[in-house]
PDB file of all heavy atoms in Angstrom:
ATOM      1  N   GLU B 468      28.110 -17.000  12.666  1.00  0.00           N
ATOM      2  CA  GLU B 468      28.852 -17.069  13.941  1.00  0.00           C
ATOM      3  C   GLU B 468      28.265 -18.104  14.862  1.00  0.00           C
ATOM      4  O   GLU B 468      28.985 -18.869  15.526  1.00  0.00           O
ATOM      5  CB  GLU B 468      28.856 -15.666  14.571  1.00  0.00           C
ATOM      6  CG  GLU B 468      29.692 -14.652  13.871  1.00  0.00           C
ATOM      7  CD  GLU B 468      31.188 -14.939  13.981  1.00  0.00           C
ATOM      8  OE1 GLU B 468      31.680 -15.029  15.071  1.00  0.00           O
ATOM      9  OE2 GLU B 468      31.833 -15.106  12.897  1.00  0.00           O
ATOM     10  N   MET B 469      26.956 -18.161  14.962  1.00  0.00           N
ATOM     11  CA  MET B 469      26.293 -19.183  15.845  1.00  0.00           C
ATOM     12  C   MET B 469      26.671 -20.575  15.354  1.00  0.00           C
ATOM     13  O   MET B 469      26.863 -21.496  16.137  1.00  0.00           O
ATOM     14  CB  MET B 469      24.800 -18.964  15.871  1.00  0.00           C
ATOM     15  CG  MET B 469      24.357 -17.745  16.674  1.00  0.00           C
ATOM     16  SD  MET B 469      22.591 -17.371  16.451  1.00  0.00           S
ATOM     17  CE  MET B 469      21.859 -18.615  17.562  1.00  0.00           C
ATOM     18  N   PHE B 470      26.762 -20.722  14.002  1.00  0.00           N
ATOM     19  CA  PHE B 470      27.039 -22.028  13.443  1.00  0.00           C
ATOM     20  C   PHE B 470      28.489 -22.429  13.695  1.00  0.00           C
ATOM     21  O   PHE B 470      28.772 -23.466  14.266  1.00  0.00           O
ATOM     22  CB  PHE B 470      26.711 -22.069  11.951  1.00  0.00           C
ATOM     23  CG  PHE B 470      27.092 -23.361  11.291  1.00  0.00           C
ATOM     24  CD1 PHE B 470      26.585 -24.586  11.738  1.00  0.00           C
ATOM     25  CD2 PHE B 470      27.960 -23.380  10.181  1.00  0.00           C
ATOM     26  CE1 PHE B 470      26.928 -25.804  11.137  1.00  0.00           C
ATOM     27  CE2 PHE B 470      28.285 -24.573   9.528  1.00  0.00           C
ATOM     28  CZ  PHE B 470      27.763 -25.736  10.020  1.00  0.00           C
ATOM     29  N   VAL B 471      29.411 -21.525  13.385  1.00  0.00           N
ATOM     30  CA  VAL B 471      30.853 -21.901  13.506  1.00  0.00           C
ATOM     31  C   VAL B 471      31.254 -21.969  14.971  1.00  0.00           C
ATOM     32  O   VAL B 471      32.215 -22.662  15.320  1.00  0.00           O
ATOM     33  CB  VAL B 471      31.814 -21.006  12.721  1.00  0.00           C
ATOM     34  CG1 VAL B 471      31.515 -21.085  11.229  1.00  0.00           C
ATOM     35  CG2 VAL B 471      31.731 -19.583  13.208  1.00  0.00           C
ATOM     36  N   THR B 472      30.543 -21.289  15.897  1.00  0.00           N
ATOM     37  CA  THR B 472      30.898 -21.396  17.268  1.00  0.00           C
ATOM     38  C   THR B 472      30.154 -22.548  17.956  1.00  0.00           C
ATOM     39  O   THR B 472      30.271 -22.784  19.151  1.00  0.00           O
ATOM     40  CB  THR B 472      30.550 -20.079  18.057  1.00  0.00           C
ATOM     41  OG1 THR B 472      29.147 -19.830  17.824  1.00  0.00           O
ATOM     42  CG2 THR B 472      31.386 -18.937  17.552  1.00  0.00           C
ATOM     43  N   GLY B 473      29.344 -23.288  17.195  1.00  0.00           N
ATOM     44  CA  GLY B 473      28.676 -24.413  17.753  1.00  0.00           C
ATOM     45  C   GLY B 473      27.393 -24.161  18.454  1.00  0.00           C
ATOM     46  O   GLY B 473      26.745 -25.036  19.045  1.00  0.00           O
ATOM     47  N   ILE B 474      26.951 -22.901  18.474  1.00  0.00           N
ATOM     48  CA  ILE B 474      25.643 -22.585  19.135  1.00  0.00           C
ATOM     49  C   ILE B 474      24.524 -23.251  18.302  1.00  0.00           C
ATOM     50  O   ILE B 474      23.539 -23.756  18.863  1.00  0.00           O
ATOM     51  CB  ILE B 474      25.415 -21.076  19.225  1.00  0.00           C
ATOM     52  CG1 ILE B 474      26.488 -20.455  20.142  1.00  0.00           C
ATOM     53  CG2 ILE B 474      24.035 -20.735  19.746  1.00  0.00           C
ATOM     54  CD1 ILE B 474      26.507 -18.939  20.190  1.00  0.00           C
ATOM     55  N   LEU B 475      24.678 -23.268  17.005  1.00  0.00           N
ATOM     56  CA  LEU B 475      23.690 -23.922  16.120  1.00  0.00           C
ATOM     57  C   LEU B 475      24.272 -25.189  15.580  1.00  0.00           C
ATOM     58  O   LEU B 475      25.460 -25.271  15.205  1.00  0.00           O
ATOM     59  CB  LEU B 475      23.365 -23.015  14.928  1.00  0.00           C
ATOM     60  CG  LEU B 475      22.518 -21.762  15.121  1.00  0.00           C
ATOM     61  CD1 LEU B 475      22.311 -21.085  13.783  1.00  0.00           C
ATOM     62  CD2 LEU B 475      21.163 -22.175  15.716  1.00  0.00           C
ATOM     63  N   ASP B 476      23.429 -26.227  15.410  1.00  0.00           N
ATOM     64  CA  ASP B 476      23.858 -27.391  14.722  1.00  0.00           C
ATOM     65  C   ASP B 476      23.475 -27.306  13.253  1.00  0.00           C
ATOM     66  O   ASP B 476      22.910 -26.283  12.803  1.00  0.00           O
ATOM     67  CB  ASP B 476      23.292 -28.673  15.370  1.00  0.00           C
ATOM     68  CG  ASP B 476      21.759 -28.774  15.210  1.00  0.00           C
ATOM     69  OD1 ASP B 476      21.195 -27.981  14.428  1.00  0.00           O
ATOM     70  OD2 ASP B 476      21.198 -29.648  15.861  1.00  0.00           O
ATOM     71  N   LYS B 477      23.849 -28.293  12.481  1.00  0.00           N
ATOM     72  CA  LYS B 477      23.581 -28.284  11.030  1.00  0.00           C
ATOM     73  C   LYS B 477      22.133 -28.033  10.709  1.00  0.00           C
ATOM     74  O   LYS B 477      21.763 -27.457   9.687  1.00  0.00           O
ATOM     75  CB  LYS B 477      23.974 -29.624  10.419  1.00  0.00           C
ATOM     76  CG  LYS B 477      25.494 -29.785  10.258  1.00  0.00           C
ATOM     77  CD  LYS B 477      25.784 -31.134   9.587  1.00  0.00           C
ATOM     78  CE  LYS B 477      25.176 -31.217   8.218  1.00  0.00           C
ATOM     79  NZ  LYS B 477      25.656 -32.413   7.464  1.00  0.00           N
ATOM     80  N   ALA B 478      21.238 -28.507  11.586  1.00  0.00           N
ATOM     81  CA  ALA B 478      19.797 -28.424  11.329  1.00  0.00           C
ATOM     82  C   ALA B 478      19.219 -27.089  11.759  1.00  0.00           C
ATOM     83  O   ALA B 478      18.045 -26.807  11.625  1.00  0.00           O
ATOM     84  CB  ALA B 478      19.030 -29.530  12.031  1.00  0.00           C
ATOM     85  N   GLY B 479      20.094 -26.218  12.353  1.00  0.00           N
ATOM     86  CA  GLY B 479      19.622 -24.904  12.780  1.00  0.00           C
ATOM     87  C   GLY B 479      19.018 -24.938  14.161  1.00  0.00           C
ATOM     88  O   GLY B 479      18.334 -23.991  14.529  1.00  0.00           O
ATOM     89  N   LYS B 480      19.288 -25.966  14.912  1.00  0.00           N
ATOM     90  CA  LYS B 480      18.771 -26.028  16.286  1.00  0.00           C
ATOM     91  C   LYS B 480      19.778 -25.439  17.277  1.00  0.00           C
ATOM     92  O   LYS B 480      20.980 -25.656  17.096  1.00  0.00           O
ATOM     93  CB  LYS B 480      18.502 -27.493  16.659  1.00  0.00           C
ATOM     94  CG  LYS B 480      17.351 -28.105  15.871  1.00  0.00           C
ATOM     95  CD  LYS B 480      16.032 -27.374  16.101  1.00  0.00           C
ATOM     96  CE  LYS B 480      14.985 -27.829  15.081  1.00  0.00           C
ATOM     97  NZ  LYS B 480      13.876 -26.848  14.974  1.00  0.00           N
ATOM     98  N   ILE B 481      19.314 -24.710  18.274  1.00  0.00           N
ATOM     99  CA  ILE B 481      20.224 -24.107  19.251  1.00  0.00           C
ATOM    100  C   ILE B 481      20.619 -25.186  20.285  1.00  0.00           C
ATOM    101  O   ILE B 481      19.792 -25.914  20.769  1.00  0.00           O
ATOM    102  CB  ILE B 481      19.533 -22.916  19.908  1.00  0.00           C
ATOM    103  CG1 ILE B 481      19.419 -21.740  18.893  1.00  0.00           C
ATOM    104  CG2 ILE B 481      20.281 -22.470  21.175  1.00  0.00           C
ATOM    105  CD1 ILE B 481      18.656 -20.549  19.358  1.00  0.00           C
ATOM    106  N   GLN B 482      21.927 -25.234  20.543  1.00  0.00           N
ATOM    107  CA  GLN B 482      22.421 -26.200  21.543  1.00  0.00           C
ATOM    108  C   GLN B 482      22.159 -25.630  22.921  1.00  0.00           C
ATOM    109  O   GLN B 482      22.856 -24.764  23.377  1.00  0.00           O
ATOM    110  CB  GLN B 482      23.946 -26.431  21.284  1.00  0.00           C
ATOM    111  CG  GLN B 482      24.249 -26.936  19.882  1.00  0.00           C
ATOM    112  CD  GLN B 482      23.460 -28.159  19.539  1.00  0.00           C
ATOM    113  OE1 GLN B 482      23.585 -29.238  20.196  1.00  0.00           O
ATOM    114  NE2 GLN B 482      22.585 -28.106  18.520  1.00  0.00           N
ATOM    115  N   ARG B 483      21.156 -26.183  23.573  1.00  0.00           N
ATOM    116  CA  ARG B 483      20.660 -25.573  24.804  1.00  0.00           C
ATOM    117  C   ARG B 483      21.592 -25.824  26.012  1.00  0.00           C
ATOM    118  O   ARG B 483      21.419 -25.206  27.056  1.00  0.00           O
ATOM    119  CB  ARG B 483      19.271 -26.107  25.121  1.00  0.00           C
ATOM    120  CG  ARG B 483      18.286 -25.771  23.987  1.00  0.00           C
ATOM    121  CD  ARG B 483      16.890 -26.182  24.283  1.00  0.00           C
ATOM    122  NE  ARG B 483      16.092 -26.002  23.058  1.00  0.00           N
ATOM    123  CZ  ARG B 483      14.808 -26.235  23.013  1.00  0.00           C
ATOM    124  NH1 ARG B 483      14.153 -26.655  24.089  1.00  0.00           N
ATOM    125  NH2 ARG B 483      14.141 -26.048  21.907  1.00  0.00           N
TER     126      ARG B 483
END
Side-chain angles (χ1 to χ4, degrees):
Chain B
E468 290 291 304
M469 287 171 78
F470 176 55
V471 298
T472 56
I474 297 173
L475 287 181
D476 67 10
K477 284 181 61 171
K480 293 297 169 200
I481 289 174
Q482 302 305 299
R483 301 184 187 182

